[in-house]
Amino acid sequence: MAVEYRKLTKEDLFIFIEMRINQLREEGAKENIDLKPALKDYYSRHMEDGTFVAWLAVDGEKIIGTSGMSFVEKPPYFGCPSGKMGLLSSMFTSKEYRRQGIAKELLSRVVNEAREYGCGTVQITASDMGVLLYTDFGFVKNGNFMQYKL
């Protein structure tokens, strides 16, 4: 196995979206709509304007791992004076490639993208499986995170 890493391109979007949906299924999401058109629209628009970047792990021609970072901005605060934040998503490694350091390498690459973009913080809603990866990397839990569904 010779895993290589490269940035997501528009040509990769179909497979990237399939892997994102597989990730959501694996995390227990309930499918009640076809999410593919909305994902394609989101990724296309935000790759174009530079507010979404993703890295891929590739074995030969096969994409085996993904990571994504969306960049958002909110009013600056003491913990993030730039107001720029990275929202980590799409962290997924195919089952047969797990526990080989691939996710850690993908995470490192998108975190570096956030740093270069000027983000002061990176956030994620972690799956149970991902918690160890993120805590080992240096992420800390924020017990006050809340969400209101509209």
Side-chain angles (χ1 to χ4, degrees):
M1 174 184 75
V3 176
E4 296 181 6
Y5 299 90
R6 63 178 170 83
K7 280 190 176 182
L8 175 70
T9 66
K10 288 182 181 182
E11 291 75 28
D12 302 314
L13 268 183
F14 176 77
I15 296 169
F16 186 80
I17 288 168
E18 287 294 325
M19 292 183 81
R20 173 68 173 155
I21 289 171
N22 287 339
Q23 172 204 359
L24 294 170
R25 287 177 181 147
E26 197 172 285
E27 292 173 355
K30 304 288 185 255
E31 291 182 55
N32 55 359
I33 61 167
D34 179 6
L35 200 53
K36 291 177 187 176
L39 286 171
K40 185 175 189 296
D41 175 64
Y42 177 86
Y43 294 137
S44 296
R45 284 185 295 114
H46 292 285
M47 285 173 65
E48 182 74 27
D49 72 11
T51 59
F52 178 78
V53 65
W55 279 84
L56 309 174
V58 181
D59 184 4
E61 294 296 313
K62 181 180 178 186
I63 297 173
I64 58 163
T66 62
S67 62
M69 186 73 69
S70 298
F71 303 120
V72 298
E73 192 169 351
K74 63 185 212 177
Y77 58 98
F78 292 115
C80 183
S82 71
K84 294 179 180 177
M85 301 171 55
L87 302 179
L88 184 60
S89 66
S90 304
M91 288 294 301
F92 185 79
T93 305
S94 297
K95 286 183 182 181
E96 62 272 21
Y97 289 89
R98 291 181 184 163
R99 317 260 346 127
Q100 298 177 36
I102 294 167
K104 184 177 181 181
E105 179 63 25
L106 288 167
L107 178 59
S108 178
R109 288 172 184 257
V110 290
V111 166
N112 283 336
E113 295 278 353
R115 186 176 291 111
E116 289 174 13
Y117 189 82
C119 294
T121 187
V122 171
Q123 296 181 350
I124 186 170
T125 302
S127 67
D128 292 341
M129 188 170 34
V131 170
L132 184 59
L133 169 69
Y134 303 123
T135 54
D136 282 353
F137 196 86
F139 282 73
V140 294
K141 291 185 179 183
N142 180 347
N144 292 331
F145 178 78
M146 299 175 75
Q147 177 174 298
Y148 182 77
K149 184 148 175 79
L150 299 173

